[in-house]
């Protein structure tokens, strides 16, 4: 049912490019509208877990050729540097791919794949208005000009133009947490795992990228004096160091090598009530932004892309878009709730911290496989097999 359909995708991020590729592979004529003059990404890392990897493979990519394989996740006491829990993917899930991607490499792969599928990409096209009727959807662009499409997909992130048209304005609330993001050259020999150093009210995540030549860093702290949302606010490395000065020597040595850092406030958005109209739909962060404490933002976008294109390809449009929301909403709500729980658990204080860490240490020693299997509902889920 997609053959010959003229579809617009708003946004050339992970969600938009994956959706464009998935639709074009099924016969749609797809145009991606990106407001920026070029497709670029900040130097940052992403963890693509098996539920996202299966989508990339179904889209015809070899994702492991563009990323590092992760051996697992290590929770570490941020003050003492002692391991609390090791989720050992290499041992307990040896046939599953947990990949550490540089965000720019993932975008480049998806961009090339979209173009190879015949997707047209229109840069410097900021959408100002969207008007739908029974026969199609008209896009009006900043600076003049318009385009007409059969279907429009909003993959335009936190500040989506389409989402408020479907749901009305929504005001996100500040979580009381801000994050610092940076990359530094690797020293060599670093563990190919996500290292999560946790302390009272703070944590630092680090893992290697690009064959172990870079280390990705995300440092999160609780504080109230923040009002801006977004990823690209410039931070001061010296200030970052002062906020994590009581961490163990290994973390302080890592942070001391940071020369430039970005900073952003973490805001919680509600999951959209409506993900679609008669001829429009939302994917990725435009529908369901998530906090970064389960590394699932990009993975949920990839799952959305596959399910939406699958629904439109196999059902009449008036059934396809409701079916897409029905197949996706409960899962993303569960993922978001799990990410919110991690945000709390990483930052435990006082007696709760002591008891929680002791419990994790014991569980890791006596039931390591069971601790990994607790996430089977997330990592083993395969939307391409449904």
């Amino acid at each position: 049912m997609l053959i010959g359909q003229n579809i617009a995708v708003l946004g050339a991020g992970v969600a938009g490019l994956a959706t464009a590729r998935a639709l074009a592979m099924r016969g749609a004529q797809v145009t991606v509208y990106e407001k920026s003059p070029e497709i670029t990404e900040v130097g940052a890392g992403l963890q693509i877990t098996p539920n996202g990897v299966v989508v990339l493979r179904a889209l015809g990519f070899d994702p492991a050729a563009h990323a590092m394989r992760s051996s697992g996740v290590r929770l570490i006491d941020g003050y003492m540097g002692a391991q609390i829990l090791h989720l050992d993917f290499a041992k307990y899930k040896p046939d599953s791919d947990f990949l550490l991607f540089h965000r720019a490499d993932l975008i480049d792969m998806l961009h090339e794949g979209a173009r190879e599928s015949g997707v047209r990409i229109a840069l410097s096209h900021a959408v100002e208005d969207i008007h739908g009727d029974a026969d199609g959807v008209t896009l009006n662009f900043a600076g003049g000009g318009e385009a007409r499409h059969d279907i429009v997909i909003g993959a335009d992130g936190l500040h989506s133009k389409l989402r408020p048209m479907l749901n009305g304005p929504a005001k996100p609330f500040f979580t009381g947490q801000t994050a610092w993001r940076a990359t530094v050259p690797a020293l060599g020999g670093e563990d190919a795992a996500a290292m999560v150093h946790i302390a009272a009210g703070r944590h630092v995540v680090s893992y290697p990228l690009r064959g172990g030549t870079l280390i990705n860093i995300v440092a999160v702290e609780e504080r109230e004096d923040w009002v801006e949302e977004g990823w690209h606010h410039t931070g001061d490395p010296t200030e970052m160091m002062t906020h994590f000065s009581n961490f163990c020597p290994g973390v302080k040595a890592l942070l001391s090598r940071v020369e430039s850092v970005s900073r952003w406030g973490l805001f919680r958005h509600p999951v959209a009530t409506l993900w679609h109209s008669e001829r429009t739909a939302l994917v990725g962060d435009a529908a369901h932004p998530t906090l970064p404490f389960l590394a699932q933002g990009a993975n949920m976008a990839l799952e959305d892309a596959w399910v939406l294109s699958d629904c439109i390809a196999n059902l009449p449009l008036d059934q396809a878009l409701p079916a897409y929301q029905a197949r996706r909403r409960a899962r993303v709500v569960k993922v978001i709730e799990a990410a919110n729980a991690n945000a709390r658990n990483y930052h435990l204080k006082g007696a709760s911290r002591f008891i929680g860490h002791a419990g994790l240490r014991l569980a890791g020693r006596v039931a390591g496989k069971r601790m990994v299997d607790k996430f089977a509902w997330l990592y083993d889920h395969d939307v391409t097999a449904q």
Side-chain angles (χ1 to χ4, degrees):
M1 294 185 184
L2 270 171
I3 295 174
Q5 289 286 318
N6 180 11
I7 301 178
V9 176
L10 311 183
V14 172
L17 292 171
T19 300
R21 166 84 169 181
L23 293 168
M25 286 175 62
R26 291 168 169 84
Q29 299 174 7
V30 184
T31 302
V32 174
Y33 294 105
E34 167 56 44
K35 65 181 180 181
S36 300
E38 58 183 341
I39 297 178
T40 59
E41 269 299 339
V42 296
L46 288 172
Q47 298 178 60
I48 301 299
T49 49
N51 52 303
V53 171
V54 293
V55 175
L56 291 174
R57 286 183 174 152
L59 291 175
F61 298 113
D62 179 10
H66 302 267
M68 290 184 65
R69 187 183 177 101
S70 172
S71 63
V73 176
R74 296 181 185 269
L75 294 184
I76 301 168
D77 186 309
Y79 302 128
M80 305 300 294
Q83 182 170 287
I84 300 168
L85 176 67
H86 181 200
L87 298 177
D88 193 341
F89 300 149
K91 180 177 181 179
Y92 296 120
K93 298 186 77 67
D95 297 325
S96 298
D97 284 323
F98 293 81
L99 301 180
L100 305 173
F101 256 100
H102 195 292
R103 182 182 291 268
D105 296 340
L106 179 60
I107 290 292
D108 286 347
M109 185 184 76
L110 292 170
H111 182 199
E112 182 179 353
R115 294 180 61 187
E116 287 177 351
S117 300
V119 174
R120 173 178 172 259
I121 297 177
L123 302 175
S124 300
H125 277 68
V127 175
E128 280 197 340
D129 294 299
I130 304 170
H131 303 283
D133 55 45
D135 299 319
V137 184
T138 300
L139 303 175
N140 296 106
F141 301 105
E146 67 177 37
R148 181 79 170 170
H149 295 274
D150 299 322
I151 304 168
V152 169
I153 309 301
D156 44 351
L158 295 175
H159 305 293
S160 171
K161 280 286 187 181
L162 181 58
R163 174 175 168 140
M165 296 183 65
L166 299 178
N167 295 272
K171 186 173 178 60
F173 69 90
F174 180 48
T175 63
Q177 297 174 327
T178 62
W180 307 77
R181 183 190 290 274
T183 58
V184 298
L187 298 178
E190 287 89 349
D191 190 355
M195 316 292 283
V196 187
H197 287 80
I198 55 180
R202 290 173 170 81
H203 76 275
V204 178
V205 180
S206 60
Y207 51 85
L209 299 171
R210 289 182 170 170
T213 61
L214 290 176
I215 301 296
N216 186 69
I217 302 168
V218 179
V220 180
E221 60 174 321
E222 294 179 1
R223 58 185 303 168
E224 299 299 329
D225 57 337
W226 191 267
V227 294
E228 293 181 276
E229 185 175 26
W231 286 17
H232 304 300
H233 305 292
T234 301
D236 180 356
T238 302
E239 182 186 358
M240 177 185 65
M241 280 291 297
T242 64
H243 291 296
F244 295 87
S245 60
N246 60 348
F247 271 60
C248 61
V251 172
K252 289 193 291 185
L254 178 65
L255 297 183
S256 71
R257 289 154 47 201
V258 173
E259 296 184 355
S260 62
V261 63
S262 60
R263 190 177 180 198
W264 80 101
L266 301 180
F267 287 73
R268 191 174 296 171
H269 297 247
V271 177
T273 301
L274 291 175
W275 293 23
H276 67 90
S277 66
E278 291 182 357
R279 290 184 173 272
T280 66
L282 301 170
V283 293
D285 283 349
H288 46 77
T290 179
L291 294 177
F293 304 127
L294 197 59
Q296 286 300 304
N299 291 289
M300 290 300 102
L302 292 170
E303 289 188 6
D304 283 355
W306 183 271
V307 174
L308 175 62
S309 60
D310 183 58
C311 288
I312 299 176
N314 291 289
L315 293 168
L317 191 60
D318 61 347
Q319 299 176 33
L321 299 184
Y324 158 64
Q325 178 169 341
R327 283 175 58 178
R328 294 297 299 148
R329 197 176 197 282
R331 176 163 168 81
V332 299
V333 167
K334 185 176 182 180
V335 167
I336 289 169
E337 289 174 349
N340 294 344
N342 274 356
R344 295 187 296 270
N345 295 337
Y346 286 172
H347 291 187
L348 294 175
K349 302 174 183 177
S352 297
R353 183 173 186 272
F354 176 80
I355 294 169
H357 290 191
L360 288 174
R361 286 191 180 95
L362 177 61
R365 284 197 297 269
V366 303
K369 183 177 187 303
R370 186 178 301 173
M371 294 301 291
V372 172
D373 288 344
K374 283 180 64 176
F375 296 94
W377 66 270
L378 175 60
Y379 299 140
D380 295 349
H381 189 76
D382 184 355
V383 295
T384 71
Q386 293 180 332

